């Protein structure tokens, strides 16, 4: 993998999120000039481990860790500005300054207090049919973006009159709706929210800009962009396992719209997957292991959510879904993470197809009800017993581990360029 030749690059998750995108973006960041979030918001939790230090990013691009790089919150992000400022403060306490290196799109939509409340109220009202959201207000924020009249953008923050007007009107509207629909008895006081957001405005004003213009000028000047996808391909609003998805474009096709660059911009699309599959929240998961093997993977891999702390559901590697993700995003490379987590298993399963009562089903199914009915067709490969976290080259891996990676590659149909054997930066093997 010749990092110098990758050009503008996008990193996306190939399954239902938490694949290890944070680690890969961090590893790549030194080769780029600008690291960009283009979708999602505080639902994301991207972990970076450097030595004994562990960082969890929700709204800030991982690139803020690299000196001399720009980090951009693009137009497609649902921005919880209060949480982002908390992230900045937490980093400052650890000696990392986020200043002029952060650029925030004036077009990004703001997550408001009513979005988070609506997320909770809606989930509670759905009962057993709930999506299992992260409660970060993502769906309601994007819904208001599409609705338009009830949306507030970053640019509105910078005009006190507009901000005051919008908050007063929308708070009133939301109070009426929440009371009528959900029987809510705790209305929002607009004045407090206005003061809170005026304070945010002062704190981020210098970072806000027309990021589209910034990208285009930077690209003309020969700078290289790295797009940090949030969530995972199967959570994509259009192409995921609807309705058990998030509300943004999570795969590489979301980059042009979410960042504001032409579709031909991105030359390299890197898909990130675990050596098995996980999912948080509700929805179909054909290769899920609801047994002691699933628990063993959860324990060894510390599979608990970075954002919500919820236990992640674990299962065998879903090659059908991975192939689908590779096609959708036009993946050029794949990074396989958590190979170390599978150490010690006698045999390792790979879901190579789905079937139902009528027989095999071709390809991936995005309809949740149909996918719920699908049974996995599982192929088993021998496991390995050797600890591999200290491996530093592919040749350090036991033969069974190398065979497993080879098999994943032939099923996905895209070169596996990176294999990860631990959370730390150095626990990364470049394969091709
Ligand atoms: P993201 O949302 O895709 O960035 O992934 P998360 O950060 O939510 O979850 C990935 C978790 O796996 C984090 O705790 C990482 O530190 C950890 N991790 C990443 N790669 C590896 C790996 O190869 N092995 C192990 N054991 N942990 C890893
Ligand atoms: P990263 O970037 C894992 C899931 C939620 C839920 C569904 C909808 O860390 O990989 P939302 O709050 O977005 O309305 O929730 O999507 N989800 C994620 N799962 N990792 C994520 O992000 C996720 N972002 C959303 O668990 O099932
Ligand atoms: Mg995550």
């Amino acid at each position: 993998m010749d990092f110098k030749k990758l050009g503008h690059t996008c990193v996306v998750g190939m399954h239902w999120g938490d694949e290890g995108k944070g680690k890969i973006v961090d590893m790549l960041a030194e080769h780029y000039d600008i690291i960009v979030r283009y979708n999602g918001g505080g639902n994301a939790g991207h972990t970076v481990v450097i030595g004994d230090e562990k960082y969890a990013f929700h709204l800030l691009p991982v690139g803020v860790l690299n000196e001399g790089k720009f980090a951009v919150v693009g137009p497609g992000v649902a921005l919880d500005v209060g949480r982002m400022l908390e992230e900045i403060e937490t980093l400052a306490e650890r000696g990392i300054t986020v200043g002029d290196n952060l650029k925030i799109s004036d077009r990004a939509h703001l997550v408001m207090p009513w979005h988070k409340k609506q997320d909770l109220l809606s989930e509670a009202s759905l009962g057993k049919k709930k999506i299992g959201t992260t409660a970060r207000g993502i769906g309601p924020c994007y819904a208001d973006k599409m609705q338009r009249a009830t949306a507030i953008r970053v640019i509105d923050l910078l005009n006190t009159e507009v901000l005051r007007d919008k908050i007063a009107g929308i708070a009133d509207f939301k109070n009426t709706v929440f009371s009528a629909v959900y029987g809510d008895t705790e209305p929002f006081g607009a004045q407090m929210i206005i003061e809170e957001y005026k304070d945010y405005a002062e704190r981020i004003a210098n970072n806000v800009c027309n990021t589209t213009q910034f990208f285009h000028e930077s690209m003309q000047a020969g700078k290289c962009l790295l797009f940090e996808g949030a969530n995972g391909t199967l959570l994509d609003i259009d192409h995921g396992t609807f309705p058990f998805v998030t509300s943004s474009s999570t795969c590489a096709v979301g980059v042009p719209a979410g960042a504001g660059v032409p579709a031909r911009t991105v030359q390299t699309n890197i898909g990130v997957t675990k050596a098995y599959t996980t999912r948080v929240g509700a929805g179909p998961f054909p290769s899920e292991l609801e047994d002691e093997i699933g628990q063993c993977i959860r324990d060894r891999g510390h599979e608990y959510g970075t954002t919500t702390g919820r236990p992640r559901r674990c299962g065998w590697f879903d090659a059908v879904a991975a192939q689908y993700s590779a096609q959708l995003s036009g993946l050029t490379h794949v990074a396989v993470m958590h190979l170390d987590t599978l150490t010690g298993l006698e045999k390792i399963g790979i879901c190579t197809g789905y079937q139902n009562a009528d027989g095999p089903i071709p390809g991936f199914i995005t309809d949740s009800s149909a996918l719920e009915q699908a049974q996995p067709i599982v192929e088993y490969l021998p496991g390995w017993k050797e600890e591999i976290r200290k491996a530093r080259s592919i040749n350090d891996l036991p033969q069974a581990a190398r065979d497993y990676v080879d098999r994943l590659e032939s099923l996905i149909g895209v070169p596996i360029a990176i294999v990860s054997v631990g959370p730390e930066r150095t626990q990364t093997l470049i394969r091709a």
Side-chain angles (χ1 to χ4, degrees):
M1 197 178 198
D2 186 350
F3 294 111
K4 296 272 174 289
K5 291 195 180 144
L6 296 181
H8 305 303
T9 298
C10 170
V11 172
V12 290
M14 293 174 68
H15 289 99
W16 286 285
D18 301 329
E19 295 90 348
K21 299 175 290 294
K23 171 171 169 168
I24 293 302
V25 172
D26 172 63
M27 184 202 121
L28 293 171
E30 64 169 296
H31 305 285
Y32 296 80
D33 303 292
I34 305 170
I35 295 88
V36 185
R37 276 284 302 274
Y38 62 91
N39 79 299
N43 52 356
H46 296 176
T47 315
V48 175
V49 180
I50 306 167
D52 295 335
E53 296 289 327
K54 186 172 177 174
Y55 304 89
F57 294 94
H58 302 285
L59 286 143
L60 292 174
V62 158
V64 293
L65 285 177
N66 292 67
E67 265 182 58
K69 314 283 175 192
F70 282 105
V72 179
V73 174
V77 171
L79 179 60
D80 184 339
V81 62
R83 280 192 89 93
M84 188 192 67
L85 286 163
E86 278 172 27
E87 269 187 73
I88 293 175
E89 276 168 19
T90 310
L91 283 175
E93 284 161 17
R94 301 175 71 176
I96 292 153
T97 311
V98 178
D100 294 343
N101 57 329
L102 174 68
K103 294 197 179 287
I104 303 167
S105 167
D106 52 5
R107 300 170 198 177
H109 281 251
L110 292 179
V111 171
M112 299 301 293
W114 44 80
H115 293 138
K116 289 186 253 188
K117 184 168 191 177
Q118 190 177 345
D119 207 344
L120 290 169
L121 290 170
S122 165
E123 285 283 272
S125 75
L126 285 168
K128 281 191 180 149
K129 291 185 179 157
K130 72 177 181 182
I131 295 167
T133 72
T134 58
R136 297 299 186 265
I138 302 298
C141 176
Y142 282 120
D144 276 340
K145 171 178 173 171
M146 295 303 163
Q147 174 64 23
R148 293 155 294 166
T150 43
I152 305 183
R153 301 199 297 172
V154 168
I155 189 129
D156 302 323
L157 268 182
L158 305 185
N159 183 328
T160 309
E161 280 315 300
V162 171
L163 182 70
R164 183 174 291 136
D165 224 48
K166 286 207 170 199
I167 292 182
I170 300 170
D172 202 30
F173 173 75
K174 295 286 177 183
N175 287 341
T176 310
V177 172
F178 292 177
S179 155
V181 176
Y182 301 112
D184 182 51
T185 54
E186 288 171 25
F188 288 107
Q191 197 50 44
M192 255 176 63
I193 302 175
I194 291 168
E195 294 309 320
E196 182 185 338
Y197 278 73
K198 265 169 58 185
D199 174 53
Y200 294 156
E202 277 170 30
R203 291 163 68 189
I204 67 162
N206 289 336
N207 303 94
V208 176
C209 70
N210 176 347
T211 54
T212 310
Q213 194 184 346
F214 174 67
F215 290 150
H216 290 271
E217 286 172 2
S218 303
M219 288 192 287
Q220 268 174 12
K223 305 289 182 199
C224 210
L225 274 57
L226 176 61
F227 297 95
E228 175 181 345
N231 328 126
T233 297
L234 306 180
L235 292 169
D236 188 278
I237 184 71
D238 294 302
H239 307 290
T241 52
F242 194 89
F244 300 102
V245 292
T246 187
S247 303
S248 71
S249 291
T250 58
C251 52
V253 300
V255 173
V261 295
R264 64 169 183 275
T265 304
V266 179
Q267 290 136 282
T268 302
N269 289 304
I270 303 178
V272 186
T273 175
K274 284 173 181 154
Y276 48 94
T277 304
T278 62
R279 173 164 209 173
V280 206
F285 181 179
S287 65
E288 183 169 13
L289 292 162
E290 291 177 277
D291 57 10
E292 67 279 9
I293 299 178
Q295 187 58 43
C296 169
I297 294 175
R298 190 174 303 113
D299 291 342
R300 262 191 73 84
H302 305 291
E303 292 294 0
Y304 295 87
T306 311
T307 300
T308 57
R310 290 179 290 178
R312 295 177 183 144
R313 299 156 65 192
C314 300
W316 295 132
F317 181 83
D318 189 329
V320 189
Q323 262 167 28
Y324 171 70
S325 299
Q327 278 170 356
L328 201 56
S329 286
L331 296 184
T332 54
H333 304 75
V334 167
V336 171
M337 318 301 286
H338 275 268
L339 191 65
D340 54 302
T341 298
L342 296 181
T343 294
L345 293 178
E346 199 136 312
K347 54 180 190 170
I348 303 171
I350 303 176
C351 169
T352 56
Y354 304 144
Q355 59 191 349
N356 61 19
D358 300 325
I361 307 165
F364 188 68
I365 312 162
T366 56
D367 176 56
S368 279
S369 323
L371 191 58
E372 198 71 67
Q373 301 305 316
Q375 294 300 315
I377 299 168
V378 180
E379 159 188 314
Y380 290 95
L381 268 72
W384 58 92
K385 297 257 179 304
E386 301 88 333
E387 188 51 77
I388 60 172
R389 286 180 175 149
K390 290 204 166 72
R392 290 297 173 267
S393 113
I394 288 291
N395 295 332
D396 295 339
L397 296 177
Q399 189 59 46
R402 276 185 275 163
D403 290 346
Y404 182 69
V405 173
D406 288 345
R407 183 66 183 134
L408 296 189
E409 182 174 75
S410 73
L411 286 166
I412 303 169
V414 174
I416 293 176
I418 302 168
V419 174
S420 174
V421 293
E424 220 272 324
R425 259 183 186 177
T426 54
Q427 292 171 306
T428 316
L429 321 178
I430 305 300
R431 184 159 171 274

